[in-house]
């Protein structure tokens, strides 16, 4: 199939502030998107997966100032750290956008002009509270003990500002939510968004006049755009919008926009589910199909914060435990959408249990027996499968649609739970069938049992490529599955390994973790 004839899937991570080094929270959002992007590619979609860096605004300007370098030099170097992370963590993003790029400035200014031409922007003056850490405006009534509701310090700001007429969009937003019940996930978060909007919206200050590090407002050099208007626009910039602009790409924009999914953390849902759709409606542009808000990680029970200095470095985790092991843990341990706690004990438990014992041993045991007893050639799949054979194979054959349904709802932990259920079934089957005993008592049956098990391993390995690409590749190499036979089109009955199919010498793929903290 050519890319043009495949269905498209466009998904985005938030773009990361370059005021800080990447930590586990950043890696988490991008990993979730990577898992989904790879899954969709294997499932026959033409995927565009976008990530990048959010480089303007007061927060970044201040970080550059504190580091004693110009904002441009500062953002160049920190943005590079985020770009490097995508390679180190094996993220498969198709593009990496920086808001300081010209293509992005053009898109921001075009969006601004559309909003202004349609009468949605007015020049006024802002006086109120601003939290640089959140890059957000707060009213007096929102403050809690003199701080933002997020705990961020606030300062009083009084300056000329353009306002977007957000208050006019309440009814249209509510009608849109009503008509699009899947627009925000999880449901509990969607309810929060709806009540926020139902409670009434105030016009939004969308420009700043007291500093310069931003995209300038067209025809008014005294103002730079509010960093969130600038940042949100990245999602449409990357599609080649505006199609008639200097960086435009008519075909790409038409194919990619609207986005299928914006993945965000719960702290920035309001910007994506309220402000962004309002800006797009006001500019007469199509709205994204879905926004999903995931939860936050704590570290051994404590909130992760700069002042506590307890940020978890994803590169160190990958180094210590293995990259695919870390990727598995982050997606499996916590129901996606809920908050979760990182602990060394929890990751070791997952590595030694789910990976080393359940999947690693299964694959190693089965492939070693095939390798040793059948000269590295697959025995035939049973002509007349027993009930046990049928039940196990049927469970594996039924996985893809069930897993797909979970992935489409971003229930990543559930998708993995379903796969590991089949792995558990296979482990029970191998214990009951005891092929090492059959070797002496009924070698023909032993051959059938191993063929059934190899089929389960093949299907599982194909499915887990999306999350653990390197390990799954090793498993499929050992099974001798050709590289063009690894997509989801290969799952199910018609594609089983034929008798005589040659496998490679098996090597353990998921070693037990026996380092520091192991019990
Ligand atoms: N620049 C804005 C996003 C603009 S999108 C148009 C921003 N950047 S951020 O770098 O502060 O945060 C990016 C993402 O990291 C958010 O989705 C946030 O939820 C996530 N996380 C930051 N700390 C986190 C944890 N401790 N746990 C999980 N995710 C966390 O916001």
């Amino acid at each position: 199939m050519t890319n043009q004839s495949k269905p498209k899937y466009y998904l985005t991570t938030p773009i990361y502030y370059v005021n800080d080094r990447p930590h586990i929270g950043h890696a988490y959002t991008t990993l979730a998107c990577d898992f989904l992007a790879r899954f969709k590619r294997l499932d026959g979609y033409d995927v565009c997966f976008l990530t990048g860096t959010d480089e303007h605004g007061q927060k970044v300007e201040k970080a550059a100032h504190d580091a004693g370098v110009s904002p441009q030099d500062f953002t160049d170097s920190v943005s590079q750290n985020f770009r490097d992370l995508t390679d180190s963590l094996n993220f498969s993003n198709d593009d990496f956008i920086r808001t300081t790029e010209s293509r992005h400035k053009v898109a921001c200014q075009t969006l601004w002009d559309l909003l202004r031409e349609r009468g949605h922007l007015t020049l006024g003056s802002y006086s109120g509270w601003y939290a640089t850490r959140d890059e957000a405006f707060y009213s007096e009534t929102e403050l809690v003990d003199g701080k933002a509701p997020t705990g961020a310090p606030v300062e009083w700001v009084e300056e000329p500002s353009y306002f977007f007429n957000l208050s006019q969009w309440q009814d249209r937003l509510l009608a849109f939510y009503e008509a699009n019940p899947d627009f925000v996930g999880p449901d509990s978060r969607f309810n929060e968004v709806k009540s926020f909007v139902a409670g009434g919206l105030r016009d939004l200050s969308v420009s700043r006049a007291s500093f310069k590090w931003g995209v300038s407002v067209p025809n008014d050099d005294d103002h730079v755009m509010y960093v969130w208007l600038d940042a949100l626009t990245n999602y449409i910039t990357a599609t080649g919008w505006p199609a008639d602009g200097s960086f435009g790409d008519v075909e790409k924009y038409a194919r990619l926009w609207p986005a299928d999914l914006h993945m965000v953390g719960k702290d920035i849902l309001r910007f994506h589910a309220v402000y962004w759709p309002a800006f797009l409606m006001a500019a007469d542009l199509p709205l994204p199909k879905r926004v999903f808000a995931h939860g936050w990680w704590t570290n051994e029970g404590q909130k992760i914060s700069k002042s506590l200095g307890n940020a978890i470095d994803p590169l160190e985790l990958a180094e210590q435990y293995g990259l695919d092991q870390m990727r598995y843990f982050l997606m499996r341990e916590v129901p996606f959408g809920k908050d979760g706690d990182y602990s060394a004990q929890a990751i070791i438990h997952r590595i030694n249990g789910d990976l080393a014992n359940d999947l690693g041993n299964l694959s190693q045991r089965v492939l070693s027996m095939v390798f040793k007893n059948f000269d590295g050639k697959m025995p035939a799949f049973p002509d007349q499968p027993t009930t046990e054979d049928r039940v196990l194979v049927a469970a594996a054959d039924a996985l893809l649609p069930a897993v797909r349904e979970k992935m489409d709802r971003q229930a990543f932990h559930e998708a993995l739970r379903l796969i590991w259920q089949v792995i558990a079934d296979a482990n029970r089957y191998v214990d009951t069938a005891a092929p090492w005993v059959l070797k002496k008592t009924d070698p023909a049956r032993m051959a059938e049992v191993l063929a059934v098990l190899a089929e389960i391993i093949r299907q599982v390995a194909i499915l887990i490529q999306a999350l653990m690409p390197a390990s799954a590749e090793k498993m499929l190499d050992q099974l001798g599955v050709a590289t063009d036979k690894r997509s989801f089109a290969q799952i199910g009955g018609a594609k089983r390994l034929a008798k005589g199919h040659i496998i490679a010498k098996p090597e353990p793929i998921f070693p037990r973790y026996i380092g520091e903290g192991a019990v």
Side-chain angles (χ1 to χ4, degrees), residues 171-208:
D171 292 346
R172 278 169 283 190
L173 282 169
L174 290 172
F176 173 76
Y177 300 152
E178 190 68 32
N180 295 277
D182 292 328
F183 180 58
V184 174
D187 288 344
S188 58
R189 296 267 171 230
F190 201 4
N191 291 334
E192 288 169 18
V193 167
K194 288 178 199 162
S195 5
F196 172 73
V197 174
L201 297 170
R202 281 177 301 134
D203 288 350
L204 182 70
S205 165
V206 286
S207 75
R208 300 292 311 271

Side-chain angles (χ1 to χ4, degrees), residues 14-17 23 25-26 54 228 231 235 265 267-268 294-297:
I15 47 172
Y16 302 108
Y17 286 129
H23 65 63
H26 307 119
D54 187 354
W228 270 101
Y235 300 132
D267 53 317
I268 55 172
H294 66 66
W296 270 47
W297 284 90

Side-chain angles (χ1 to χ4, degrees), residues 196-465:
F196 172 73
V197 174
L201 297 170
R202 281 177 301 134
D203 288 350
L204 182 70
S205 165
V206 286
S207 75
R208 300 292 311 271
S210 52
F211 67 96
K212 287 276 162 226
W213 184 238
V215 179
S216 31
V217 163
N219 305 315
D220 192 343
D221 281 348
D222 292 342
H223 292 255
V224 292
M225 289 180 204
Y226 172 40
V227 67
W228 270 101
L229 174 55
D230 160 351
L232 289 161
T233 305
N234 93 86
Y235 300 132
I236 194 163
T237 305
T239 66
W241 184 86
D244 56 357
S246 33
F247 299 89
D249 186 335
V250 183
E251 189 272 330
K252 189 174 177 191
Y253 168 68
R255 186 164 47 90
L256 292 181
W257 196 256
D260 293 270
L261 177 70
H262 294 317
M263 180 70 79
V264 299
K266 62 180 184 177
D267 53 317
I268 55 172
L269 178 59
R270 188 178 294 181
F271 297 95
H272 286 81
V274 181
Y275 301 169
W276 180 227
F279 296 150
L280 290 169
M281 278 185 192
D284 280 332
L285 290 165
L287 270 52
K289 293 186 194 148
R290 183 165 163 88
V291 180
F292 190 92
H294 66 66
W296 270 47
W297 284 90
T298 48
N299 184 358
E300 309 268 359
Q302 275 189 320
K303 191 173 186 274
I304 297 175
S305 81
K306 247 186 169 174
S307 48
L308 288 173
N310 63 346
I312 302 169
D313 180 345
L315 294 175
E316 279 174 23
L317 273 198
E319 175 91 350
Q320 183 171 5
Y321 298 108
L323 174 56
D324 280 351
Q325 283 80 349
M326 173 185 90
R327 291 173 55 112
Y328 175 77
F329 168 77
L330 291 175
M331 291 293 105
R332 177 67 187 94
E333 182 68 6
V334 175
F336 199 70
K338 296 239 160 44
D339 292 339
D341 186 40
Y342 169 81
S343 73
Q345 210 193 343
I347 189 169
I348 293 169
H349 190 72
R350 288 283 173 196
I351 292 173
N352 288 348
D354 301 11
L355 297 181
N357 279 352
D358 299 346
L359 177 57
N361 279 351
L362 174 72
S363 161
Q364 181 65 15
R365 278 206 281 185
V366 170
L367 298 191
S368 303
M369 282 189 273
V370 173
F371 198 76
K372 283 192 201 127
N373 298 298
F374 297 90
D375 210 13
K377 296 196 188 76
M378 279 309 300
F381 197 77
D383 269 348
Q384 286 172 325
T386 64
T387 309
E388 289 76 24
D389 298 345
R390 252 193 240 111
V391 170
L392 180 60
V393 171
D397 286 350
L399 264 182
L400 177 61
V403 168
R404 183 188 286 134
E405 197 260 330
K406 303 293 185 194
M407 295 296 289
D408 281 338
R409 290 194 299 110
Q410 292 75 49
F412 303 129
H413 60 294
E414 291 275 336
L416 295 168
R417 189 179 55 77
L418 292 177
I419 300 173
W420 258 258
Q421 246 167 26
V422 171
I423 295 172
D425 291 346
N427 275 315
R428 268 190 299 273
Y429 171 97
V430 81
D431 287 342
T432 314
W436 47 91
V437 175
L438 293 172
K439 185 177 170 181
K440 292 183 198 106
T441 57
D442 189 352
R445 178 62 191 149
M446 171 197 183
E448 291 184 350
V449 165
L450 293 176
V452 166
L453 286 163
E455 172 59 13
I456 309 303
I457 296 167
R458 184 186 73 90
Q459 296 212 25
V460 165
I462 288 178
L463 284 169
I464 63 171
Q465 288 175 100

Side-chain angles (χ1 to χ4, degrees), residues 58 124-128 137 157-163 205 207-211 223:
Q58 237 175 334
S125 100
Y126 177 80
S127 56
F137 302 94
V157 167
E158 263 184 53
E159 61 189 41
S161 177
Y162 285 90
F163 284 84
S205 165
S207 75
R208 300 292 311 271
S210 52
F211 67 96
H223 292 255

